[in-house]
């Protein structure tokens, strides 16, 4: 058998002499099993010899193996079947508009509408979160830092509070007087694990609130499902 | 199609680990939900998902490939199709999912690739069952490395022993392929 393999490999790689090749093909013509065997070896060489594809398969195998889908088996997941899939995911092109909307939405959620106050708040905070991908259904904006740009620098120190979804304070920061921009890095995975967070700025006695998400590793979807 | 959609194809054609992880995070849960709702489990979902990415890879690595839909629609379409085919094989009945029309065009020109990939999949499944040593050895062998190099990389004591191992591993691989139901069907056809 070992010899047969050697022979098939030599035939497939074209290293048989003309006479050997003719003899081998003669055998194949009369022996269906041999012909099948040669086809299979040829297919193997063709497929497994595609080094790049094999590398991709190997990588996908690893990523898929580590991916936790137990929440799907537990009946979790998405309610609306096609919405987000159809829309795909989109990258925010106009960050300012988007952020204004988030701030507005957060205000609506937290306080009864008061047009006068709302105008004032929006004028005070121009933008907040920095970056990346937004989930259309959940509004998830995965942040690696949050950046504040005040409409005008405050004359007093401005207090910034970050809280997790349970309301636990994750840090209180002071934005110095006369400074109009401030950035908080969310790179520390221990301080900021995956989850939803709220920020509150007290500007001249008026609280301004917003929400952001920290997404780490592959558990973004699960985290979102749990958080919302 | 929007340029941002092509980034997903790039992740695949460049075998970009972080990018591929992103694709899994963004799209696998939804596809898993679809498969679980249609008689499968999460392992089937991962399996189908991987095959769909390889199918898209086969298309996308050709220069003239153009996306005619969103990447997510294409991926979803291929997964639906693969899962439908598998259910069909098991039940021996035609399987149609809801909203068939929506995905028909997207995957229309992929039929050929999908069929070829099913064969390739059969070989991959057998390969995966080999032990780590045989997998490595076979990868080197099929990657057309010379036997002397293989012996060195694998740390074998002699060329003769290397050849022996190569034969043993390949034999195992061939045996596993032949034992599979899919191979029988393939040979019959």
């Amino acid at each position: 058998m070992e010899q047969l393999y050697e022979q098939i490999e030599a035939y497939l790689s074209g290293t048989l002499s003309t006479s050997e090749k003719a003899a081998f093909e003669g055998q194949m013509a009369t022996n269906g099993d041999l012909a099948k065997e040669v086809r299979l070896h040829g297919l193997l060489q063709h497929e497994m010899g595609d080094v790049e594809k094999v590398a991709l398969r190997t990588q996908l195998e690893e990523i898929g193996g580590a991916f936790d889908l137990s929440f799907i088996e537990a009946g979790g997941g998405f309610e609306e079947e096609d919405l987000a899939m159809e829309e795909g995911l989109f990258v925010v092109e106009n960050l300012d508009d988007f952020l204004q909307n988030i701030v507005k939405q957060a205000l609506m959620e937290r306080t009864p509408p008061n047009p006068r106050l709302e105008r004032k708040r929006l004028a005070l905070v121009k933008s907040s979160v920095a970056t990346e991908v937004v989930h259309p259904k959940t509004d998830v904006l995965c942040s690696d830092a949050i950046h504040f740009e005040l409409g005008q620098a405050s004359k007093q120190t401005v207090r910034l509070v970050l809280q997790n979804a349970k309301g636990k304070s994750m840090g209180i920061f002071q934005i110095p007087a006369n400074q109009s921009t401030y950035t908080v890095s969310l790179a520390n995975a221990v301080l900021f694990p995956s989850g939803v967070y709220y920020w509150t700025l007290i500007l001249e006695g008026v609280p301004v609130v917003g929400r952001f998400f920290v997404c780490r590793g592959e558990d973004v979807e699960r985290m979102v499902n749990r958080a919302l | 199609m929007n340029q941002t959609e092509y980034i997903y194809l790039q992740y695949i054609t460049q075998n970009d680990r972080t990018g591929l992880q992103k694709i899994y995070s963004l799209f696998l849960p939804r596809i898993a939900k679809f498969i679980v709702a249609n008689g499968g489990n999460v392992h089937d979902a991962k399996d189908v998902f991987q095959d769909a990415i390889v199918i898209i890879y086969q298309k996308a690595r050709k220069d003239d490939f153009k996306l005619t839909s969103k990447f997510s629609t294409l991926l979803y379409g291929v997964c639906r199709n693969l899962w439908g085919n598998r259910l069909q094989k098991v039940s021996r009945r035609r399987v149609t999912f809801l909203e068939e029309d929506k995905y028909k065009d997207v995957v229309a020109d992929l039929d050929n690739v999908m069929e070829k990939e099913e064969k390739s999949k059969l070989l991959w499944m057998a390969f995966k069952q080999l032990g780590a040593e045989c997998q490595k050895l076979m990868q080197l062998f099929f990657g057309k490395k010379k036997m002397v190099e293989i012996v060195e990389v694998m740390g074998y004591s002699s060329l003769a022993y290397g050849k022996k191992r190569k034969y043993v591993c390949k034999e195992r691989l061939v045996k596993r392929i032949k034992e599979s139901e899919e191979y029988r069907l393939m040979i019959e056809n």
Side-chain angles (χ1 to χ4, degrees):
Chain A
M1 201 63 172
E2 192 171 347
Q3 215 181 353
L4 175 69
Y5 274 34
E6 297 269 331
Q7 215 176 358
I8 293 174
E9 282 157 17
Y11 172 71
L12 289 171
S13 62
T15 52
L16 289 183
S17 68
T18 320
S19 59
E20 284 170 332
K21 189 176 166 227
F24 192 72
E25 282 172 351
Q27 278 182 50
M28 275 200 287
T30 53
N31 182 346
D33 285 345
L34 175 65
K36 270 184 206 165
E37 192 76 27
V38 174
R39 261 211 305 279
L40 176 56
H41 282 248
L43 189 63
L44 259 176
Q45 178 58 55
H46 177 71
E47 281 301 324
M48 301 306 294
D50 188 341
V51 180
E52 287 170 0
K53 193 164 116 185
V54 169
L56 178 69
R57 278 265 189 212
T58 308
Q59 175 118 277
L60 295 175
E61 202 72 55
E62 279 172 30
I63 296 173
F67 200 93
D68 182 12
L69 280 174
S70 52
F71 67 100
I72 297 273
E73 273 180 327
F78 301 89
E79 291 306 318
E80 292 161 49
E81 193 59 59
D82 274 329
L83 178 68
M85 197 67 205
E86 274 312 281
E87 293 305 316
L89 283 118
F90 57 93
V91 174
V92 178
E93 277 165 9
N94 189 336
L95 194 59
D96 273 358
D97 281 358
F98 178 77
L99 293 168
Q100 291 276 342
N101 282 335
I102 287 210
V103 172
K104 208 159 147 187
Q105 209 182 336
L107 285 168
M108 303 287 243
E109 281 169 11
R110 285 232 167 159
T111 53
N114 178 332
R116 194 180 56 83
L117 265 186
E118 197 181 316
R119 266 201 305 281
K120 185 174 180 189
R121 286 167 181 161
L122 288 175
L124 285 170
V125 177
K126 206 170 124 208
S127 69
S128 66
V129 246
T131 53
E132 223 190 303
V133 186
V134 178
H135 191 288
K137 183 165 165 251
T138 54
D139 271 353
V140 169
L141 180 76
C142 299
S143 311
D144 47 14
I146 43 171
H147 175 72
F148 295 90
E149 196 172 335
L150 308 182
Q152 59 191 71
S154 169
K155 291 192 185 72
Q156 299 153 4
T157 306
V158 176
R159 204 161 65 131
L160 165 67
V161 183
L162 301 186
Q163 289 166 292
N164 69 9
K166 289 178 181 161
K168 187 185 166 207
S169 171
M170 309 307 288
I172 298 173
F173 304 86
Q174 308 276 356
I175 305 179
N178 300 319
Q179 185 174 317
S180 61
T181 60
Y182 194 74
T183 303
V184 181
S185 163
L186 305 168
N188 189 326
V190 180
L191 281 179
F192 296 101
S194 285
V196 58
Y197 294 85
Y198 292 92
W199 55 261
T200 310
L201 271 181
I202 316 286
L203 282 165
E204 297 170 4
V206 181
V208 183
V209 295
R211 183 176 70 171
F212 64 91
F213 283 83
V214 174
C215 321
R216 297 203 190 277
E218 295 163 356
D219 56 355
V220 180
E221 298 274 18
R222 193 162 29 120
M223 175 271 289
V224 171
N225 281 303
R226 209 188 303 128
L228 297 176
Chain B
M1 198 40 56
N2 191 325
Q3 280 308 308
T4 54
E5 292 295 312
Y6 279 93
I7 190 100
Y8 297 117
L9 294 184
Q10 253 178 46
Y11 291 154
I12 295 175
T13 51
Q14 291 170 6
N15 196 1
D16 173 338
R17 189 175 180 86
T18 314
L20 290 169
Q21 278 170 334
K22 208 173 219 172
I23 291 177
Y24 270 75
S25 297
L26 294 176
F27 307 117
L28 176 59
R30 187 160 297 275
I31 282 157
K33 202 189 173 206
F34 167 78
I35 287 176
V36 169
N38 285 287
N41 58 35
V42 295
H43 300 291
D44 298 321
K46 284 181 182 180
D47 204 40
V48 165
F49 195 80
Q50 184 188 119
D51 293 346
I53 291 183
V54 174
I55 285 166
I56 294 173
Y57 167 78
Q58 287 290 70
K59 279 301 253 191
R61 70 170 157 175
K62 297 196 175 103
D63 290 340
D64 59 346
F65 181 68
K66 296 252 181 321
L67 267 179
T68 55
S69 68
K70 276 180 177 291
F71 172 79
S72 58
T73 311
L74 173 67
L75 181 60
Y76 200 41
V78 176
C79 287
R80 282 169 66 104
N81 214 306
L82 285 174
W83 185 238
N85 287 345
R86 282 178 205 177
L87 285 182
Q88 218 155 282
K89 264 187 206 153
V90 178
S91 67
R92 293 176 195 280
R93 263 187 234 145
R94 185 170 153 62
V95 175
T96 315
F97 298 124
L98 290 173
E99 303 171 294
E100 183 98 334
D101 289 347
K102 200 155 77 184
Y103 296 98
K104 218 161 60 191
D105 293 345
V106 180
V107 295
D109 62 333
L110 286 172
D111 269 1
N112 204 4
V113 185
M114 276 198 243
E115 212 183 299
K116 272 193 197 147
E117 275 316 302
E118 287 288 289
K119 274 185 205 164
S120 145
K121 174 67 194 288
L122 154 70
L123 307 183
W124 176 255
M125 292 304 281
F127 172 77
K128 243 174 51 175
Q129 288 170 26
L130 294 176
E133 184 217 339
C134 276
Q135 283 197 14
K136 194 173 171 192
L137 174 54
M138 285 293 98
Q139 265 181 333
L140 293 167
F141 170 72
F142 289 123
K144 299 221 161 103
K145 290 268 177 279
K146 292 211 170 67
M147 213 50 217
V148 273
E149 262 179 86
I150 296 179
V151 167
E152 200 187 314
V153 175
M154 298 300 294
Y156 292 146
S157 54
S158 68
L159 191 65
Y161 182 70
K163 280 188 178 170
K164 185 85 201 157
R165 290 303 298 160
K166 185 213 76 187
Y167 166 70
V168 169
C169 291
K170 199 174 183 196
E171 232 281 292
R172 274 184 206 158
L173 181 58
V174 167
K175 189 164 165 255
R176 285 189 203 285
I177 296 169
K178 285 181 180 166
E179 279 167 1
S180 70
E181 171 81 354
E182 288 88 349
Y183 179 73
R184 205 178 48 76
L185 289 172
M186 194 171 98
I187 290 292
E188 275 174 13
N189 295 330

